[in-house]
Amino acid sequence: MQQNNPVFSKLRKNPEAMAYGAEAASIRGIILKTILMFAVAIGTGVFALSFAGENPNLYIGLVLFSGIIAFISIIVAMSSIRLAPVFSLIYAMSEGLFLVLISAIYMASFNYTGYNIVLLAVLITGAIFFGMLVLYSTKLIVVTKGFRRFMMSFGFMMISVVLFVSIASIFDGGQMAYMLFGNPDSPVVLFLTLVFIMYGAFMLTLHFDNAVQIADQGLDKRYEWVAALGLMVAIVYIYYQVLRLLAIILSRRD
């Protein structure tokens, strides 16, 4: 299994990445840091929600600002092990702003349906997480080189499509973006959302495997933050896509 991840193959050759004894990364440390990041995210988000009040313009501004900061934090944390602890927490705070505010918008938009769309999204996301954890733990899903290569290639393809649609939307007034991602009555939108959720679910297994390798190979304890960040990013991504799926389904009921 250790040979399946080229990133960790390179780390094994770097003496600065290795640590021993009490300073080595552990699964317990990764779990605790993941829980801490979610606690920071929820706390920050709830504070921002009370601060934003009923001001829709402030909502939009905070969502955009937090999304940009979260993206930058991921890049920095994944690029520098020295800065990973700080920027992982910055990511948690900015993502907390983004998630809670977006959730509040969805909640207000679908309150008339009688369904708690946010609670449903949390429950489904939790079920996906634990389901994939069981599949990985029981070896029903094994992370191989081929699996990693496919997931990375598929992810690159997804990013390329989103970038292409974003650029095309500048010239067509957003019609392509609406057709592929925004129209709740379109079967294409429903299908793509399901694909995105499945991709996020399988990405979880890669992050589980990364966490196991970090702990097994005795890497520096700061790599616990990298593993925790990867898990949080995957869970947040799945939650948002599930939220979109529920919104599409509830919109179709009207």
Side-chain angles (χ1 to χ4, degrees), residues 1-250:
M1 287 178 60
Q2 293 180 359
Q3 301 301 320
N4 294 332
N5 190 338
V7 174
F8 291 104
S9 296
K10 293 179 181 179
L11 285 176
R12 284 195 298 272
K13 300 175 183 178
N14 180 8
E16 295 181 358
M18 308 304 292
Y20 302 94
E23 295 301 319
S26 66
I27 294 295
R28 180 175 179 274
I30 293 171
I31 294 172
L32 291 176
K33 286 177 174 59
T34 304
I35 294 173
L36 173 62
M37 288 176 65
F38 271 103
V40 170
I42 294 171
T44 306
V46 171
F47 172 77
L49 187 62
S50 62
F51 175 75
E54 302 294 331
N55 189 338
N57 293 327
L58 188 56
Y59 268 59
I60 296 173
L62 286 173
V63 167
L64 292 175
F65 171 77
S66 60
I68 294 172
I69 296 299
F71 179 73
I72 294 173
S73 299
I74 292 173
I75 295 175
V76 175
M78 292 295 185
S79 303
S80 172
I81 183 59
R82 182 173 60 86
L83 298 175
V86 174
F87 277 88
S88 292
L89 290 175
I90 292 176
Y91 168 80
M93 294 173 65
S94 56
E95 197 61 59
L97 282 173
F98 181 85
L99 272 187
V100 171
L101 294 176
I102 284 291
S103 298
I105 293 172
Y106 272 91
M107 180 80 81
S109 300
F110 292 93
N111 186 49
Y112 68 92
T113 63
Y115 292 92
N116 190 325
I117 188 172
V118 171
L119 179 60
L120 284 173
V122 169
L123 293 175
I124 294 172
T125 302
I128 292 173
F129 175 84
F130 287 108
M132 298 308 294
L133 181 59
V134 169
L135 291 176
Y136 175 79
S137 301
T138 56
K139 308 295 185 188
L140 291 176
I141 293 181
V142 179
V143 178
T144 63
K145 282 184 178 180
F147 181 76
R148 283 186 179 277
R149 192 178 301 115
F150 171 78
M151 293 298 293
M152 295 302 119
S153 300
F154 190 81
F156 179 77
M157 182 184 70
M158 286 172 53
I159 294 173
S160 300
V161 170
V162 171
L163 287 176
F164 174 78
V165 172
S166 300
I167 294 172
S169 297
I170 299 175
F171 301 98
D172 69 359
Q175 293 183 13
M176 182 180 293
Y178 181 72
M179 293 267 311
L180 292 177
F181 305 119
N183 183 3
D185 296 322
S186 169
V188 176
V189 174
L190 180 61
F191 173 75
L192 287 177
T193 305
L194 289 170
V195 170
F196 292 158
I197 292 173
M198 290 178 62
Y199 173 76
F202 284 108
M203 277 300 295
L204 275 175
T205 61
L206 266 65
H207 292 297
F208 294 151
D209 195 61
N210 290 345
V212 169
Q213 291 194 39
I214 285 173
D216 286 351
Q217 297 178 39
L219 296 184
D220 187 281
K221 199 168 183 63
R222 288 172 294 184
Y223 278 95
E224 292 176 351
W225 290 102
V226 177
L229 176 62
L231 285 170
M232 184 174 184
V233 170
I235 294 169
V236 166
Y237 169 82
I238 294 171
Y239 168 78
Y240 177 68
Q241 294 300 332
V242 169
L243 202 58
R244 286 188 66 243
L245 177 64
L246 291 174
I248 292 170
I249 295 173
L250 292 176

